[in-house]
Amino acid sequence: MKYAHIVGWGAYLPKKVLTNDDIALMVETSDEWIYTRTGIRERRIAGEKETTATLAFEGAARALAVADIHPSQVDLIVVATSTPEYIFPSTASRVQDYLGAHRAGAFDLSAACSGFVYGLDMAAQAIATGSIKIAIVIGAETLSRVMDWEDRGTCILFGDGAGAVVLKGSSVPGGLLSSTLRSDGSGGELLTLPAVYHNPVPMLGPEYLQNGHGDNTIKMNGREVFRFATKVVSDSIEVVVQKAGLTLDDVDLIVPHQANTRIIEAVAKRLKLPMDKFFLNIEQAGNTSAASIPIALVDAIHAGRLHPDDNVVFVGFGGGLTWAAGVIKWDVTPPQVSLADREWQRARYIWARLRSRIRKLSRRIGARLLGSPTPEASLRDVEKRGKGARVQGGKGERD
Ligand code: UT7
């Protein structure tokens, strides 16, 4: 079972569309500038009740439906994201709960826009060793929540969304043929998104925020990231194609991270490949970071750009700095799933939510019976202690 094949795929984009013209009402820019410099016309913005985990769930549920796989068969869920709601519980654990994938392990993976390809490699290796058989790899982001909406250098680029694939082990050669994962941390400051400061601990107080901390928005040196991207994308495509024992002529489609059309044009020129070897959907989706490759993959499939036995290259790059590429032999014919089956699959998720609620309730009742504090009481206690610490800190400074 050592070959990891993609047997299902799914994507979800929130309903709300934010056009370049909408952004031009917020910062000094124009549709013409954004489109000619990036290739983007519009992006999607998550609704108030949507989170990275709910978007990821939608993508994963669709991917399982295509694969006709029951959530209980899933061994591992990997979510590549830079915008988790919590450091823990991980987004992947929330998705595991929403899906009712009760046999699955789950973890988040942080490799910025390269995260999906990193996740694909990790899951495929776990399949190759025989440790697992079925994995869901998801890229999901709500970047609109970490945007500085006054910075026209970044807020024009990013959007929200999620995409997922189901990987399944098989003894039939194919699937992920090769991959390369790389990082250069010395360039980390070129593209940053601070964590932890999101909800500063009460002890640190407002002075901490005034010292420049607490701004958890994306900062980017666009020009430098652009230069880095054109080089590493072309190099890693060459490396990964060679590793797979192929040549560039054998590649049928390249699905790159959707950051900027001009980056892909520069890569195409470097590799002497026609632009139609690259699939782009950046015009409608913008840059959705870790989600961009699986969302583009799904769009490519719907556009009829993938055929049996095609060699497909995924290539991601971004914060870290990180970059990664993989070659997939596209060899799957998805099973025909009837409408009734799909309805039945949806019903499963209603049951999964219900079961999760029952578990929460039984945990609460168990805690009461044992006399241990409920999660709500623990939270109240932490808040009370936090207030006390702040008062003490204030006194210390006056002394
Ligand atoms: O997914 C993570 C990886 N991220 C990327 O790959 C992003 C890579 N970088 C880029 O895509 C591009 O660098 C940007 C699209 C972010 C910027 O395009 P650029 O062609 O590199 O512009 P620039 O930063 O060199 O700025 C050129 C000019 C500047 O004006 P001056 O100093 O020449 O007068 C900017 O102030 O364009 C100005 N500018 C804008 N003008 C109108 C920058 N942003 C905007 C804007 N609208 N939104």
Side-chain angles (χ1 to χ4, degrees):
M1 294 295 177
K2 64 179 184 167
Y3 300 99
H5 295 253
I6 291 182
V7 295
W9 48 83
Y12 177 80
L13 291 175
K15 285 200 175 63
K16 185 177 162 49
V17 175
L18 189 73
T19 65
N20 290 347
D21 287 331
D22 295 332
I23 293 188
L25 298 173
M26 297 153 65
V27 288
E28 206 182 319
T29 190
S30 64
D31 174 52
E32 202 251 331
W33 194 97
I34 300 172
Y35 186 68
T36 51
R37 295 287 181 120
T38 70
I40 300 169
R41 284 266 188 228
E42 59 186 43
R43 70 289 291 141
R44 300 297 180 94
I45 304 294
E48 241 174 70
K49 289 192 177 152
E50 287 177 318
T51 67
T52 300
T54 66
L55 305 191
F57 160 75
E58 289 294 341
R62 283 158 203 215
L64 284 175
V66 169
D68 197 18
I69 283 176
H70 194 279
S72 65
Q73 293 172 265
V74 176
D75 301 305
L76 180 67
I77 299 169
V78 183
V79 177
T81 185
S82 299
T83 47
E85 247 184 298
Y86 297 92
I87 303 298
F88 54 85
S90 70
T91 307
S93 284
R94 295 176 87 84
V95 173
Q96 173 274 319
D97 186 44
Y98 295 160
L99 289 171
H102 58 86
R103 283 184 52 245
F107 71 94
D108 285 1
L109 188 155
S110 165
C113 309
S114 318
F116 176 76
V117 185
Y118 268 71
L120 208 58
D121 180 76
M122 294 294 101
Q125 300 310 326
I127 287 172
T129 63
S131 145
I132 62 163
K133 194 173 170 214
I134 295 177
I136 310 177
V137 181
I138 307 167
E141 304 283 8
T142 45
L143 293 155
S144 62
R145 310 243 161 99
V146 291
M147 263 316 106
D148 175 352
W149 288 104
E150 291 177 358
D151 175 11
R152 66 180 183 171
T154 53
C155 76
I156 56 159
L157 295 172
F158 297 98
D160 301 337
V165 297
V166 178
L167 281 181
K168 187 174 178 188
S170 161
S171 52
V172 178
L176 186 67
L177 303 180
S178 66
S179 53
T180 175
L181 310 180
R182 298 290 303 278
S183 171
D184 177 4
S186 72
E189 75 282 359
L190 298 179
L191 184 47
T192 58
L193 174 58
V196 183
Y197 312 125
H198 185 56
N199 286 313
V201 284
M203 244 179 84
L204 297 173
E207 307 81 22
Y208 184 70
L209 288 174
Q210 279 156 17
N211 287 337
H213 298 290
D215 177 8
N216 70 320
T217 58
I218 290 182
K219 301 279 176 276
M220 181 175 71
N221 180 332
R223 225 177 273 188
E224 283 302 307
V225 174
F226 193 105
R227 264 181 355 115
F228 144 79
T230 50
K231 176 157 175 23
V232 299
V233 172
S234 42
D235 287 356
S236 53
I237 290 173
E238 281 182 319
V239 165
V240 88
V241 166
Q242 199 184 17
K243 260 188 168 181
L246 304 171
T247 68
L248 283 177
D249 288 339
D250 300 318
V251 173
D252 298 286
L253 192 69
I254 299 171
V255 183
H257 167 46
Q258 313 281 313
N260 188 320
T261 302
R262 287 191 299 132
I263 291 177
I264 304 309
E265 284 167 354
V267 169
K269 205 165 155 198
R270 270 177 108 114
L271 295 175
K272 299 189 178 61
L273 289 174
M275 269 304 277
D276 65 9
K277 277 248 167 147
F278 295 81
F279 185 81
L280 291 176
N281 68 347
I282 189 171
E283 190 169 337
Q284 295 83 29
N287 178 345
T288 54
S289 190
S292 90
I293 293 175
I295 293 172
L297 172 70
V298 171
D299 281 353
I301 294 166
H302 290 162
R305 294 288 302 275
L306 283 165
H307 311 99
D309 282 336
D310 275 0
N311 295 307
V312 187
V313 175
F314 297 142
V315 56
F317 54 93
L321 299 166
T322 55
W323 61 104
V327 180
I328 283 268
K329 171 69 81 184
W330 194 256
D331 45 13
V332 60
T333 320
Q336 290 298 316
V337 182
S338 70
L339 198 65
D341 284 342
R342 273 179 204 253
E343 290 304 317
W344 179 232
Q345 283 162 352
R346 279 277 148 191
R348 259 183 225 151
Y349 301 125
I350 298 170
W351 166 234
R353 301 250 168 154
L354 198 65
R355 195 172 53 179
S356 174
R357 283 204 183 150
I358 294 168
R359 284 192 175 187
K360 276 182 190 145
L361 191 69
S362 67
R363 218 167 262 139
R364 224 164 268 160
I365 294 168
R368 275 251 159 94
L369 290 176
L370 289 171
S372 43
T374 60
E376 292 80 10
S378 303
L379 197 68
R380 275 198 303 273
D381 194 37
V382 168
E383 276 171 3
K384 234 188 260 168
R385 272 188 281 141
K387 271 182 200 155
R390 233 190 333 238
V391 171
Q392 273 171 23
K395 263 189 190 162
E397 274 157 29
R398 277 199 297 274
D399 290 341

